[in-house]
Amino acid sequence: MAKNTAEILRVNHLKKYFSVPAGMLHAVDDISFTIDNGKTLGVVGESGCGKSTMGRAILRLHEPTSGEVYFQGKDVLSLEKQGMKQLRRDMQIIFQDPYASLNPRMTVSEAIAAPLLVQKIYSRKDKAQIEKRVREIMNLVGLANRLINTYPHELDGGRRQRIGIARALALNPKFIVCDEPVSALDVSIQAQILNLMADLQDELGLTYLFITHDLSVVKYVSDDILVMYLGQMVEKAPSEKLFKKPMHPYTQALLSAIPIPDPDLPMNRITMKGELTSPVNPGIGCRFAKRCPFAKDECSQQEMVLTEEEPGHFVTCLRVQRGEI
Ligand SMILES: Nc1ncnc2c1ncn2[C@@H]1O[C@H](COP(=O)(O)OP(=O)(O)OP(=O)(O)O)[C@@H](O)[C@H]1O
Ligand code: SF4
Ligand SMILES: [Mg+2]
C-alpha cells in the first residue's frame, strides 16, 4: 500500500522473464521504486537493458513474472479484466515511433477518438460531443484544428507525436509511461515536444515514467533518475545528485560519454571494455563485472543487493557498499 499520500506509483521487486530457446531471458529483474504525484522518474540504460519491458510490465501490456505494482494504493497485478480496463483511463503510454503506433487508415480525429470509444466514454452516435472533445485535445497538444481530417502520412514526425500524446491524454490519465517519446524525432523538434510535455505535466498534474537512452534528455526532464543495466537497477537518485555524484561504475561510464559543450575541456571518457553478460540465465553476481574497471572476483560470486548509500541515493555495487570506490 502507498505509505505516502504524495506517492502515486509503487513498484516492488518487479520481474519480467521471457522464455527463449536458450532458457529464461531476464529482461526486468527485481526493480523497485516509487514515484510521487506530478513528478517524473527518468529511466536510462543501453538498448536492450529492459526499459520498455519494465514500462509495459507496469501497465500489464506484458504480464509481469512476479513483483507488485500499486497505483494510488491499488494492487494493479490483482485486478481482473474490468478493473484493468478502468485503470487504463488513469495509466497510459506514449510510444517512440508514433508512425508505427498509429493506424495509417485513421484520420487524426479517428485516432484521438478511438480511446474514448473503446472506453465507452461516448458511443459512435455522439458525433458532436466526440468532435468537441477531439478539438479540445488537439488544442491542448498544439495541433491545428484544420488537421482534424488528415492522415498520419500527411504529417511530419513532430505532429505525429502530438497525435500520440493526444491519444494518451484523451482519457484524462494521471500517469503516463513515455517510452522514448522524442528519440525518433529531429533534434530541432525534440525540444518542442519536450516543452509540450513539461507544460502538460504542469497544467494537468501528470506523473511521468520517462524512458530514454539519451542522458541529456533525461537530465532535462527528470526529478529522479533510475539507471538500468541488463534488467537490473544499478542506481537511483534525485537527478541533480546523480549527475553531480554518480556512484555506480556503470553510471560513471555513461555520464562520462556525454559530450561537453566546451571543446577546450577534456572529455575524460571512461571506455567500457569487455563482453556483455547474457541476459539469458545470467546467474548471481554483478552483471556489469565483465566490463567494470573496478571488478574483483567476489563481484561475480555474490548476490547483488540495492542499498541506500545517501538519503534517496540507491546503488547496487559491492565495492561502493564497502566504501572501496
Ligand atoms: N517479447 C519478447 N520476447 C523475448 N524477448 C524479449 C521480448 N521483448 C523484449 N525482449 C528482450 O528483453 C530485453 C529487454 O528488451 P527491451 O525492449 O525492454 O529493452 P530496451 O531497454 O527498451 O531497449 P531499447 O533501448 O532498444 O528500446 C532484450 O534482451 C530483448 O531482446
Ligand atoms: S559490484 Fe564489482 S563489478 Fe559490479 S559495478 Fe561494483 S565494483 Fe564493478
Ligand atoms: Mg525500448
Side-chain angles (χ1 to χ4, degrees):
M1 289 290 290
K3 286 181 188 144
N4 175 346
T5 48
E7 178 185 301
I8 189 164
L9 184 78
R10 172 169 289 261
V11 171
N12 288 335
H13 305 293
L14 188 70
K15 295 185 182 179
K16 175 65 191 175
Y17 296 173
F18 293 108
S19 178
V20 294
M24 288 309 262
L25 190 152
H26 294 216
V28 174
D29 214 356
D30 203 359
I31 303 267
S32 301
F33 62 83
T34 61
I35 313 183
D36 282 354
N37 200 8
K39 301 288 185 192
T40 298
L41 175 67
V43 179
V44 281
E46 287 163 299
S47 181
C49 72
K51 305 180 295 296
S52 297
T53 306
M54 180 181 79
R56 286 165 176 264
I58 289 168
L59 301 181
R60 289 181 72 185
L61 296 173
H62 283 316
E63 205 54 48
T65 302
S66 63
E68 296 172 323
V69 178
Y70 292 98
F71 180 75
Q72 294 186 314
K74 204 180 283 172
D75 181 354
V76 174
L77 303 189
S78 72
L79 290 175
E80 301 291 339
K81 205 171 165 198
Q82 194 50 35
M84 215 40 231
K85 193 173 173 196
Q86 285 281 331
L87 203 72
R88 278 276 170 272
R89 297 185 186 183
D90 287 335
M91 301 175 90
Q92 285 286 316
I93 184 162
I94 300 170
F95 297 99
Q96 169 175 358
D97 183 353
Y99 201 48
S101 62
L102 293 172
N103 181 339
R105 285 186 293 276
M106 277 190 175
T107 62
V108 172
S109 166
E110 288 164 346
I112 299 173
L116 300 169
L117 293 169
V118 170
Q119 283 281 345
K120 297 191 168 56
I121 309 284
Y122 299 115
S123 79
R124 289 196 183 277
K125 58 182 182 354
D126 303 322
K127 284 201 167 60
Q129 283 142 296
I130 294 174
E131 185 172 330
K132 182 167 175 274
R133 178 68 182 139
V134 166
R135 285 181 187 276
E136 232 170 62
I137 303 166
M138 287 179 73
N139 288 338
L140 198 61
V141 301
L143 272 174
N145 273 199
R146 67 183 156 76
L147 301 174
I148 195 162
N149 291 318
T150 52
Y151 289 89
H153 73 268
E154 298 177 83
L155 302 172
D156 60 29
R159 289 201 178 86
R160 284 202 291 262
Q161 192 52 294
R162 284 176 199 262
I163 306 174
I165 297 171
R167 274 171 67 95
L169 291 178
L171 298 166
N172 277 327
K174 298 187 174 78
F175 169 73
I176 305 182
V177 171
C178 312
D179 191 354
E180 308 252 14
V182 298
S183 305
L185 303 176
D186 287 348
V187 175
S188 58
I189 296 169
Q190 287 189 1
Q192 289 174 20
I193 298 294
L194 290 173
N195 286 335
L196 170 68
M197 292 181 69
D199 291 346
L200 290 169
Q201 180 167 43
D202 286 347
E203 202 172 323
L204 307 173
L206 298 168
T207 304
Y208 292 147
L209 181 82
F210 196 104
I211 295 168
T212 178
H213 61 269
D214 186 338
L215 278 157
S216 46
V217 167
V218 87
K219 184 178 190 183
Y220 172 73
V221 300
S222 309
D223 296 291
D224 290 295
I225 297 178
L226 187 159
V227 184
M228 282 181 79
Y229 187 80
L230 276 180
Q232 293 183 319
M233 165 175 182
V234 296
E235 188 157 4
K236 179 180 172 268
S239 178
E240 207 173 302
K241 268 196 178 182
L242 189 104
F243 275 86
K244 215 181 255 171
K245 191 182 169 193
M247 292 188 188
H248 195 283
Y250 174 63
T251 315
Q252 290 172 356
L254 269 187
L255 297 194
S256 77
I258 304 178
I260 298 169
D262 184 345
D264 293 332
L265 288 175
M267 269 282 287
N268 294 330
R269 191 185 184 120
I270 305 169
T271 38
M272 285 185 272
K273 296 196 193 95
E275 55 179 309
L276 225 76
T277 298
S278 168
V280 181
N281 308 329
I284 61 162
C286 176
R287 288 182 196 171
F288 187 56
K290 287 182 181 164
R291 298 167 88 190
C292 178
F294 306 102
K296 287 194 154 184
D297 288 347
E298 309 129 84
C299 299
S300 306
Q301 293 157 358
Q302 295 193 22
E303 193 82 56
M304 290 291 117
V305 286
L306 183 77
T307 51
E308 190 169 10
E309 292 300 312
E310 285 179 11
H313 198 149
F314 299 85
V315 189
T316 312
C317 170
L318 196 66
R319 299 202 63 200
V320 168
Q321 286 154 2
R322 288 182 183 165
E324 292 172 355
I325 55 175

